[in-house]
């Protein structure tokens, strides 16, 4: 099976690419050739910028694929380019959407693929919804062979899930308090990228996936308090957690506000029955406690990875001081 990944060296796609080569797929990666993650041995790298359609058309003129996956489409204009480039050149087009497109906050849990798509808080999610609508319209109109995949919070060893990244780890190591939104009891789902890859790759070339949408997540549900305590345990520290309302955090950190109010503030539990029915091999095995050990080991390997965000540190100290003065325990 001949597969093209547009991108293919990101957090999620790198695991899917490595597994694809291991599975014997004929894998091509189309990207600009600028990446911190290596192209897996056995894959063919094609140099081209998907934002330059004429260049890509020239690069791909002699190719036809069983499946094309666009890992880096974020708006309807990107999807329109994909439709124009790949109509008649692939038997399956896979769009990487996001589980944040689902109704936020959800009216019921667990979330299924039939949960309404409605996120009024986050432009990123609204753009992904617009992409999905355009693709479904094209599928119904012309038969463009789409499959939609909605990852939730998927990570690898380079990604800490907490807002302050390694700066929060350093704070805990020094006995300083860290902040979580709400009361820390909202439930979150963290998925290791290698687990995700098993479900995802099972969709490639599968005719039953055409015209369908799937989310692919872990079945491990953790509160944000549990997540922070796992990270603290991994570095032999204690998590002194200060709980602050999400609205206040969003106002204090405007750049983080949309993703907080439009995603991480709300409990998100997923029913994976649909992907499991089509891909029986999908069975997430890597707990976040295991994943946290990988993450901390990766940060500890190179000192530069543990660089601190002093602006964040100072803002957190001020916020915690103000909040405790108004709301002492």
């Amino acid at each position: 099976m001949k597969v093209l990944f547009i991108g293919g060296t990101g957090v999620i796609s790198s695991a899917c690419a490595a597994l694809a080569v291991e599975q014997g797929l004929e894998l091509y990666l189309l990207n600009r050739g600028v990446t911190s993650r290596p192209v897996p041995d056995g894959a063919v790298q094609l140099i081209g910028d998907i934002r330059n359609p004429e260049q890509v058309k020239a690069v791909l003129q002699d190719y036809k694929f069983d499946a094309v996956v666009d890992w880096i489409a974020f708006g309807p204009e990107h999807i329109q380019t994909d439709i124009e480039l790949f109509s008649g050149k692939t038997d399956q087009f896979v769009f990487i959407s996001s589980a944040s497109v689902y109704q936020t906050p959800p009216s019921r849990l667990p979330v299924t693929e039939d949960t309404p798509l409605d996120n009024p808080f986050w432009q990123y999610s609204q753009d992904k919804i617009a992409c999905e609508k355009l693709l479904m319209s094209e599928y119904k109109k012309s038969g463009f062979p789409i499959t939609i995949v909605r990852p939730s919070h998927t990570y690898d060893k380079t990604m800490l899930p907490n807002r302050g990244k390694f700066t929060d780890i350093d704070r805990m190591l020094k006995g300083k308090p860290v902040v979580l939104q709400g009361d820390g009891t909202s439930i979150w789902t963290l998925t290791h990228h290698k687990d995700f890859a098993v479900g995802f790759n099972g969709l490639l070339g599968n005719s039953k996936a055409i015209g369908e949408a799937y989310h692919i997540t872990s079945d491990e549900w953790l509160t944000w308090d549990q997540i922070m305590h796992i990270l603290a345990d991994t570095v032999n520290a204690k998590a002194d957690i200060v709980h602050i309302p999400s609205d206040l955090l969003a106002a204090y950190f405007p750049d983080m506000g949309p993703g907080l109010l439009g995603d991480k503030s709300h409990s998100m539990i997923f029913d994976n029955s649909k992907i499991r029915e089509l891909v029986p091999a999908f069975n997430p095995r890597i707990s976040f406690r295991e994943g946290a050990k990988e993450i901390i080991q990766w940060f500890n390997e190179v000192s530069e990875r543990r660089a601190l965000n002093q602006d964040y540190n100072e803002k957190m100290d001020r916020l915690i001081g103000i909040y405790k003065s108004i709301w002492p325990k």
Side-chain angles (χ1 to χ4, degrees), residues 119-145:
N119 188 327
F121 302 99
W122 199 4
Q123 187 63 48
Y124 168 83
S125 307
Q126 293 162 19
D127 290 342
K128 289 286 191 179
I129 292 171
C131 289
E132 290 199 24
K133 288 181 177 178
L134 177 56
L135 282 169
M136 288 302 299
S137 173
E138 190 65 27
Y139 169 65
K140 293 173 182 177
K141 180 176 69 175
S142 71
F144 188 60

Side-chain angles (χ1 to χ4, degrees), residues 99-104 111-113 115-118 150 215 270:
S100 68
V101 300
Y102 288 124
Q103 183 184 56
T104 306
V111 168
T112 72
E113 283 82 356
T115 297
L117 307 186
D118 180 24
R150 300 168 182 152
H215 52 242
F270 300 91

Side-chain angles (χ1 to χ4, degrees), residues 286-301:
I286 303 171
S287 70
F288 182 63
R289 192 168 289 277
E290 295 174 71
K293 292 176 183 176
E294 287 184 11
I295 293 168
I296 296 303
Q297 180 180 339
W298 183 84
F299 275 92
N300 284 338
E301 287 171 352

